[in-house]
Amino acid sequence: MKEDENIMNEVVQYLDSLITTINPELDMPVPERHPCQKKSNELYDDQQDYIDLINKLQRHTRYSPAYCLRIN
């Protein structure tokens, strides 16, 4: 069990070194429609489209300080 945790921590650390995002609007609701379903002519606001995408895809279902870098 401890070995599995160590492997998982290594994987998370590796992925964290590759993938980082900052959510500029933490309190925005998760959009009902998946942002990737939008057609190019429906993209009007780069900032809002980014926020929708982050809020749909980058939300934790469970919080763990071991991997979450949320800044209050």
Side-chain angles (χ1 to χ4, degrees), residues 3 6-7 11 16 24-26 33 36 41 46 48 62:
E3 185 176 335
N6 289 336
I7 291 171
V11 169
D16 279 348
E25 293 289 337
L26 294 174
R33 182 178 177 209
C36 292
N41 63 349
D46 288 342
Q48 187 59 50
R62 285 174 271 157

Side-chain angles (χ1 to χ4, degrees), residues 29-54:
V30 175
E32 289 184 31
R33 182 178 177 209
H34 199 292
C36 292
Q37 292 176 325
K38 289 183 176 181
K39 296 179 181 177
S40 61
N41 63 349
E42 296 177 277
L43 303 174
Y44 304 111
D45 182 350
D46 288 342
Q47 180 76 8
Q48 187 59 50
D49 294 330
Y50 172 76
I51 291 167
D52 288 345
L53 191 61
I54 294 300

Side-chain angles (χ1 to χ4, degrees), residues 30 54-64 67-68:
V30 175
I54 294 300
N55 281 319
K56 185 69 171 184
L57 302 175
Q58 294 290 323
R59 290 281 177 126
H60 300 307
T61 54
R62 285 174 271 157
Y63 172 77
S64 169
Y67 63 84
C68 184

